[in-house]
């Protein structure tokens, strides 16, 4: 146990290198938010309830207490010490914190570093709590214990699209687990976007819009994020009244729990995106139809949304009404509101006066409803549209509101930090964020060195305006090592020695140390988790994103992103397979083993595809046939591997969608509405992970496979038929010595895809087979 304790450092609060006025502005925000927090007794009870859900056997082993910021030197912290009392209530460890989030963070810090425990998402192996000693035998701390302080005020969580890629089908049971995970990992500034369509329904009705007009405005459940941002409208919809009411009720539960735990939720605000019908009701309003966002044929039924110019008085009127309606429904729960007016939509002009007035209007709409409002903005536009957002344009937007009334998320700081090239966002407070994931793709990937040092370097830089760290992944439930380290950076003011940290991580994750496992993680650290090429990692393995091209007329094939030696990672798989038998029954080990085996075989399949195409180009029938068959076999083998672990099943995604369609009131009706919802929700779930957006007979969606997944069922039922069809046309072309019929393949494939999207066949929701045995067999088959 001393090995754990020796790793603990008493972390010292770093004074933010801000000018006095800037410090005062941030402190003023914190002071106002503190005034909204619930009483200590409620927060302490919420922390106890979390402990009861996580570790019911030890509810009497811990004592919790909320303390003032003065105890932490004016900031936020948690304190862990031995419980000293003459009473016999069983308490052994005393954890104090400035909020319930600090207390639960301290709880997990203790369980991790003194008891060798681990908590990750259920779908990444869940918890490892077997290493925790029984009540009455918990490890004691030396001396007066430890104090761990936040070096920056906030730990932000979520991307505006996470709600669609990951949360869309969740019920309260799943949300409760997620909020517990947030609290244990120190999240105190989470995005809270659920249920906003119900708010908009009420607001727009007051502006005389009809239900029919709103039906065409809101997207379907799996595409709400992009409808909210004004990228599309109506796609996958409409939303039923039951959906709207259920989501509003769910949001109230979410906000209530976040408040109980001392979190500050970030609510949405008005960005200017409006229904088409508003232009008819207000013909003099300055409403512009935006251009095409990733639609194949710019179908006006779903493409090209309407934007109300922020300079129009109606903008402030609607924006104020929206925030007031939220306050009416939820109460006064926050002062922080997210708004991204031009997320992947370029402003109509680069005139700085226009941009400045735009920003001022957005803020005015907020502050008219909430005088203390703070605008939280994703900084993605400064990266994705950097040709437009030059220094003058950035300054015009960032300086359009009073200082301290805007916070920017440096969304992609783990790869492309904007703070470095913008003089700390030209003096605007910002949050150092890790983006990491796109589309909820399943790909082992990360930059552990950047995570362990980036926030520390940013905070220590000259004239730093950094006020937080954050995790802004598009999808969750993958790469648990990355999120474990990133969440710790909210409490670390010094760089982490990753190699040593990984030894502790693996010991906690699997329940004991193992030299084979340590060796495997050393390799993974220097390969998979050391991507330094600056490329945004979208999983484009050929299995999950088959190239849509004619290899006979072009050699311009974009290869999947690969930044490491596949041989070294194969060696890491062999080491992981050699782990002690005491480890192999753990859910965390089995998840990692399946994930690593999948990663290795997926990269092998890329090689087989390239060999098949090269053979085709060289008119080598035998080699083309051999390598295409190997590619096909790898799809089948990977599907069988994934089927052995319940965390890699298409069936659970589809069933959660259907379950939400048959909840409470819809279940009672037993009507056409229920049948429609079942079909609609399943179509949404199937479409998002495959074609995504619109297509024609011979052109796939521009976003096809953006949200691809390595899921059993999706490989066998969708990716396999695609590959078989493609290689059939490839072989036919070679045998008949004729050109590849690309259009014929596209037509046949797209027809299959659209039928599959609308289908309702069942897929397993329970694992089948022994994951360890299958992994070993596949390793021997392909590498033995």
């Amino acid at each position: 146990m001393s090995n754990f304790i020796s790793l603990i450092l008493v972390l010292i609060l770093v004074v933010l290198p801000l000018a006095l006025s800037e410090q005062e502005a941030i402190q003023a925000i914190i002071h106002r938010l503190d005034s909204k927090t619930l009483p200590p007794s409620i927060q302490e009870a919420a922390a106890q309830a979390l402990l009861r859900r996580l570790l019911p056997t030890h509810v009497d082993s811990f004592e919790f207490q909320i303390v003032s910021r003065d105890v932490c030197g004016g900031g936020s912290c948690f304190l862990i010490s031995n419980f000293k009392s003459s009473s016999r209530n069983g308490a052994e460890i005393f954890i104090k914190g400035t909020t319930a989030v600090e207390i639960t963070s301290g709880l997990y810090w203790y369980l991790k570093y003194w008891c060798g425990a681990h908590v990750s998402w259920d779908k990444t192996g869940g918890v490892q709590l077997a290493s925790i000693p029984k009540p009455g035998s918990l490890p004691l701390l030396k001396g007066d214990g430890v104090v761990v302080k936040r070096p920056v005020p906030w730990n932000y969580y979520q991307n505006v699209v996470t709600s669609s890629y990951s949360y869309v089908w969740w019920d309260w049971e799943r949300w409760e687990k997620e909020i517990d995970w947030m609290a244990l990992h120190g999240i105190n500034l989470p995005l809270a976007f659920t249920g906003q369509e119900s708010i908009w329904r009420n607001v727009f009705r007051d502006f005389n819009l009809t239900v029919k007009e709103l039906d065409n405005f809101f997207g379907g459940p799996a595409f709400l994020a992009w409808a909210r941002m004004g990228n599309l409208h109506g796609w996958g919809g409409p939303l039923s009244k039951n959906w709207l009411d259920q989501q509003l009720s769910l949001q109230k539960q979410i906000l209530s729990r976040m408040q109980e735990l001392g979190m500050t939720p970030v609510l949405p605000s008005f960005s200017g995106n409006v229904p088409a019908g508003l232009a008819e009701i207000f013909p003099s309003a300055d409403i512009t139809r935006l251009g095409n966002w990733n639609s194949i044929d710019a179908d006006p039924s779903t493409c090209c949304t309407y934007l109300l110019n922020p300079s129009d008085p109606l903008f402030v009127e609607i924006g104020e009404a929206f925030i007031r309606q939220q306050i009416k429904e939820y109460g006064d729960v926050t002062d922080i509101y997210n708004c991204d007016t031009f997320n992947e939509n370029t402003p109509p002009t680069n005139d700085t006066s226009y941009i400045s007035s735009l920003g001022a209007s957005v803020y005015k709409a907020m502050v008219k409803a909430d005088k203390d409002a703070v605008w939280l903005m994703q900084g993605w536009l400064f990266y994705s549209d950097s040709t437009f957002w030059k220094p003058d344009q950035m300054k015009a937007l960032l300086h359009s509101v009073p200082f301290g009334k805007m916070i920017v998320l440096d969304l992609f700081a783990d790869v492309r930090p904007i703070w470095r090239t913008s003089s700390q966002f030209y003096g605007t407070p910002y949050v150092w964020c890790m983006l990491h994931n796109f589309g909820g793709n399943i790909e082992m990937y990360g930059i552990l060195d950047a995570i362990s040092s980036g926030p520390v370097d940013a905070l220590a830089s000259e004239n730093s305006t950094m006020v937080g760290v954050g995790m802004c992944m598009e999808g969750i439930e993958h790469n648990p090592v990355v999120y474990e380290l990133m969440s710790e950076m909210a409490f670390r003011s010094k760089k982490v020695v990753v190699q040593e940290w990984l030894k502790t991580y693996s010991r906690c994750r699997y329940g004991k140390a193992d030299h084979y496992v340590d060796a495997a993680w050393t390799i993974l650290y220097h390969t998979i988790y050391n991507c330094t090429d600056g490329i945004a990692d979208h999983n484009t393995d050929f299995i999950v994103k088959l190239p849509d091209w004619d290899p006979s007329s072009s050699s311009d094939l974009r290869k999947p992103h690969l930044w490491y030696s596949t041989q070294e990672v194969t060696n890491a798989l062999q080491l992981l397979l050699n782990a002690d038998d005491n480890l192999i029954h753990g859910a965390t080990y089995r998840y990692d083993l399946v994930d690593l085996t999948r990663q290795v075989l997926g990269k092998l399949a890329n090689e087989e595809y390239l060999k098949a195409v090269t053979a085709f180009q060289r008119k080598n029938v035998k080699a083309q046939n051999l390598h295409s068959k190997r590619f096909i076999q790898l799809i089948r083998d990977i599907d069988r591997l994934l089927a052995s672990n319940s965390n890699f099943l298409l069936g659970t995604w589809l069933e959660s969608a259907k379950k939400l369609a048959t909840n409470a009131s819809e279940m009672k009706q037993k009507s056409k509405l229920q049948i429609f919802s079942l079909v609609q929700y399943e179509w949404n779930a199937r479409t998002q992970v495959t074609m995504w957006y619109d297509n024609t007979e011979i052109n796939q969606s521009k976003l096809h496979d953006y949200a691809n997944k390595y899921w059993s069922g999706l490989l066998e039922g969708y990716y396999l038929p695609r590959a078989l069809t493609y290689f059939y046309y490839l072989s036919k072309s070679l045998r008949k010595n004729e050109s590849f019929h690309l259009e014929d393949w596209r037509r046949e494939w797209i027809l299959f895809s659209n039928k599959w999207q609308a289908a309702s066949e069942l897929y397993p929701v329970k694992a089948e087979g022994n994951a360890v045995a299958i992994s070993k067999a596949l390793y021997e088959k392909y590498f033995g």
Side-chain angles (χ1 to χ4, degrees):
M1 203 59 64
S2 60
N3 290 333
F4 288 113
I5 298 173
S6 66
L7 292 169
I8 299 302
L9 294 174
V10 177
L11 304 176
I12 306 300
L13 180 67
V14 175
V15 177
L16 291 174
L18 302 173
L20 181 61
S21 61
E22 297 173 22
Q23 285 183 336
E24 289 175 341
I26 298 303
Q27 287 302 317
I29 297 173
I30 293 171
H31 178 72
R32 289 194 302 271
L33 293 174
D34 281 351
S35 70
K36 299 178 188 292
T37 58
L38 297 179
S41 59
I42 294 177
Q43 294 192 55
E44 290 164 2
Q48 283 288 347
L50 187 155
L51 172 60
R52 187 174 294 106
R53 290 188 293 273
L54 176 68
L55 201 61
T57 54
H58 289 66
V59 289
D60 295 326
S61 299
F62 296 87
E63 187 75 17
F64 297 150
Q65 183 183 341
I66 297 290
V67 295
S68 71
R69 290 183 181 274
D70 294 339
V71 176
C72 305
S76 298
C77 75
F78 59 80
L79 306 88
I80 312 173
S81 63
N82 302 324
F83 186 74
K84 300 172 183 178
S85 175
S86 58
S87 65
R88 298 184 179 182
N89 63 359
E92 302 169 74
I93 303 299
F94 197 11
I95 302 177
K96 304 179 219 178
T98 43
T99 67
V101 169
E102 264 63 39
I103 289 175
T104 52
S105 300
L107 171 66
Y108 184 39
W109 199 274
Y110 172 80
L111 294 177
K112 186 191 314 187
Y113 286 112
W114 272 265
C115 302
H118 176 78
V119 177
S120 67
W121 292 297
D122 283 354
K123 287 185 72 68
T124 57
V127 300
Q128 187 289 111
L129 305 176
S131 61
I132 301 175
K134 294 179 180 180
S137 303
L138 291 180
L140 299 178
L141 289 83
K142 294 180 179 180
D144 295 329
V146 297
V147 179
V148 178
K149 301 181 180 181
R150 290 187 188 268
V152 283
W154 291 299
N155 188 3
Y156 175 81
Y157 184 59
Q158 295 181 42
N159 186 297
V160 294
V161 302
T162 319
S163 57
S164 289
Y165 283 133
S166 295
Y167 307 155
V168 55
W169 311 121
W170 285 7
D171 56 14
W172 170 243
E173 181 182 0
R174 179 60 188 87
W175 260 110
E176 183 174 54
K177 289 184 177 181
E178 186 68 9
I179 298 172
D180 284 354
W181 182 93
M182 292 184 205
L184 291 164
H185 288 83
I187 308 298
N188 62 1
L189 192 65
L191 205 60
F193 265 28
T194 301
Q196 63 178 280
E197 282 68 31
S198 187
I199 304 292
W200 279 122
R201 174 184 59 177
N202 294 333
V203 170
F204 282 132
R205 278 180 177 175
D206 289 342
F207 285 86
N208 299 317
L209 284 158
T210 66
V211 171
K212 184 177 180 180
E213 287 168 325
L214 293 179
D215 283 347
N216 187 248
F217 177 62
F218 300 136
F223 303 98
L224 282 176
W226 300 275
R228 292 165 178 170
M229 291 187 287
N231 301 132
L232 51 79
H233 64 94
W235 182 250
L239 299 175
S240 70
K241 183 178 182 300
N242 289 324
W243 167 275
L244 294 168
D245 293 344
Q246 184 267 347
Q247 291 293 295
L248 180 62
S249 175
L250 182 59
Q251 170 75 335
K252 290 179 178 179
Q253 288 179 288
I254 292 167
L255 291 175
S256 177
R257 182 58 55 81
M258 287 178 174
Q259 274 195 291
E260 289 169 4
L261 288 164
M263 299 176 184
T264 298
V266 178
L267 291 178
S269 62
F270 182 48
S271 64
N273 181 31
V274 295
L278 197 73
E280 297 178 12
I281 299 171
F282 298 93
S284 62
D286 187 358
I287 297 176
T288 305
R289 188 157 201 179
L290 298 176
N292 185 2
W293 180 87
N294 287 309
S295 173
I296 282 290
D297 57 3
D299 182 349
S301 67
T302 61
C303 165
C304 313
T305 57
Y306 291 84
L307 182 72
L308 175 61
N309 192 323
S311 63
D312 192 295
L314 187 60
F315 184 99
V316 174
E317 190 177 344
I318 294 174
E320 178 187 0
F322 178 68
I323 290 181
R324 288 195 184 281
Q325 184 66 30
Q326 288 189 113
I327 294 172
K328 179 181 177 181
E329 288 285 353
Y330 310 141
D332 186 13
V333 298
T334 189
D335 289 330
I336 302 187
Y337 302 91
N338 168 261
C339 183
D340 299 299
T341 299
F342 290 106
N343 187 74
E344 299 185 6
N345 284 322
T346 303
T349 174
N350 64 1
D351 179 75
T352 54
S353 297
Y354 170 82
I355 294 171
S356 182
S357 65
L358 178 155
S361 297
V362 170
Y363 174 68
K364 184 179 179 181
M366 296 179 188
V367 80
K368 283 200 74 175
D370 180 347
K371 64 181 178 60
D372 297 319
V374 176
W375 178 1
L376 182 78
M377 181 180 71
Q378 290 192 145
W380 178 248
L381 70 170
F382 301 136
Y383 164 77
S384 67
D385 199 4
S386 58
T387 55
F388 177 89
W389 293 100
K390 301 298 184 183
D392 287 344
Q393 285 72 33
M394 287 183 67
K395 290 177 187 176
L397 182 59
L398 295 171
H399 295 166
S400 64
V401 303
F403 181 81
K405 295 298 184 177
M406 177 185 282
I407 299 172
V408 181
L409 301 177
D410 196 355
L411 210 71
F412 205 16
D414 51 325
V415 177
R416 298 288 177 87
I418 301 298
W419 69 267
R420 288 186 181 276
T421 57
S422 64
S423 301
Q424 310 275 352
F425 288 94
Y426 304 107
T428 304
Y430 76 92
V431 176
W432 193 102
C433 295
M434 175 190 77
L435 178 51
H436 184 256
N437 177 269
F438 294 89
N441 296 159
I442 297 175
E443 166 98 298
M444 292 180 71
Y445 157 82
I447 320 172
L448 296 184
D449 283 342
I451 295 169
S452 67
S453 62
V456 177
D457 290 340
L459 185 59
S461 63
E462 187 177 1
N463 299 319
S464 177
T465 57
M466 177 181 162
V467 294
V469 295
M471 296 182 280
C472 297
M473 60 284 124
E474 289 193 352
I476 62 168
E477 300 176 323
H478 52 78
N479 291 286
V481 65
V482 172
Y483 295 89
E484 190 71 14
L485 180 58
M486 187 63 228
S487 65
E488 282 197 15
M489 298 312 296
F491 296 100
R492 290 189 179 273
S493 57
K494 295 181 180 178
K495 296 180 182 180
V496 175
V497 180
V498 178
Q499 186 67 65
E500 291 303 310
W501 182 88
L502 280 170
K503 290 180 180 178
T504 303
Y505 170 81
S506 65
R507 186 184 301 116
C508 293
R509 182 157 170 81
Y510 307 130
K512 64 173 292 186
D514 183 283
H515 68 279
Y516 286 114
V517 170
D518 285 346
W521 272 106
T522 296
I523 294 174
L524 295 178
Y525 166 42
H526 293 294
T527 53
I528 283 176
Y529 292 111
N530 185 36
C531 181
T532 57
D533 58 18
I535 296 175
D537 185 65
H538 297 257
N539 191 338
T540 53
D541 283 351
F542 293 133
I543 286 179
V544 295
K545 191 165 187 178
L546 193 74
D548 185 10
W549 74 310
D550 179 359
S552 62
S553 61
S554 173
S555 58
D556 185 22
L557 174 63
R558 185 175 180 179
K559 297 179 181 179
H561 183 205
L562 184 64
W563 62 96
Y564 59 84
S565 163
T566 55
Q567 182 56 58
E568 287 185 56
V569 174
T570 302
N571 294 341
L573 173 58
Q574 183 182 26
L575 288 165
L576 197 60
L577 284 166
N578 288 334
D580 188 276
D581 287 346
N582 291 326
L583 268 63
I584 66 174
H585 300 294
T588 48
Y589 171 83
R590 286 177 174 249
Y591 172 86
D592 288 350
L593 179 63
V594 169
D595 201 25
L596 182 55
T597 307
R598 172 209 56 75
Q599 181 90 1
V600 168
L601 294 180
K603 304 312 173 190
L604 179 61
N606 291 341
E607 296 174 19
E608 294 297 339
Y609 175 87
L610 291 172
K611 290 176 181 177
V613 168
T614 301
F616 170 83
Q617 293 170 335
R618 294 175 178 173
K619 300 187 182 300
N620 187 332
V621 176
K622 184 178 180 181
Q624 190 275 329
N625 187 50
L626 171 66
H627 294 297
S628 62
K629 285 184 176 179
R630 285 182 176 174
F631 184 82
I632 295 298
Q633 187 57 50
L634 277 161
I635 296 178
R636 290 191 169 110
D637 284 342
I638 295 173
D639 189 272
R640 183 165 64 95
L641 167 74
L642 299 175
S644 69
N645 190 292
S646 60
N647 301 306
F648 295 94
L649 302 180
L650 169 65
T652 55
W653 169 256
L654 299 181
E655 289 305 313
S656 62
K658 290 187 284 186
K659 179 183 177 183
L660 205 60
T662 56
N663 70 5
S665 55
E666 291 184 7
M667 194 68 172
K668 291 176 184 176
Q669 291 178 37
K670 295 284 185 181
S671 64
K672 291 181 180 179
L673 173 62
Q674 180 191 346
I675 296 171
F676 173 76
S677 296
L678 278 167
V679 173
Q680 180 199 17
Y681 292 6
E682 184 165 6
W683 182 91
N684 269 254
R686 286 170 175 256
T687 298
Q688 189 203 85
V689 298
T690 54
M691 195 61 75
W692 209 108
Y693 204 11
D694 63 337
N695 59 262
T696 65
E697 288 186 1
I698 58 172
N699 289 296
Q700 296 191 74
S701 161
K702 293 180 181 179
L703 295 172
H704 73 88
D705 300 308
Y706 181 90
N708 65 67
K709 302 289 189 294
Y710 268 105
W711 284 341
S712 175
L714 195 56
L715 270 74
E716 187 79 28
Y718 190 82
Y719 299 141
L720 178 61
R722 177 169 63 182
L724 286 168
T725 307
Y726 184 83
F727 283 124
Y728 165 77
Y729 278 96
L730 208 63
S731 298
K732 180 181 176 182
S733 171
L734 202 54
R735 290 195 313 272
K736 293 188 174 183
N737 195 27
E738 60 186 20
S739 60
F740 179 69
H741 293 178
L742 179 62
E743 193 169 297
D744 289 346
W745 173 72
R746 284 176 173 171
R747 182 177 285 106
E748 183 173 340
W749 165 245
I750 292 171
L751 179 62
F752 175 92
S753 178
N754 290 164
K755 287 182 177 179
W756 188 89
Q757 291 164 245
S760 59
E761 72 272 23
L762 299 177
Y763 287 90
V765 294
K766 294 183 179 180
E768 298 177 3
N770 184 310
V772 177
I774 293 171
S775 293
K776 286 182 177 179
L778 291 177
Y779 178 85
E780 289 299 321
K781 178 177 180 177
Y782 289 103
F783 306 106

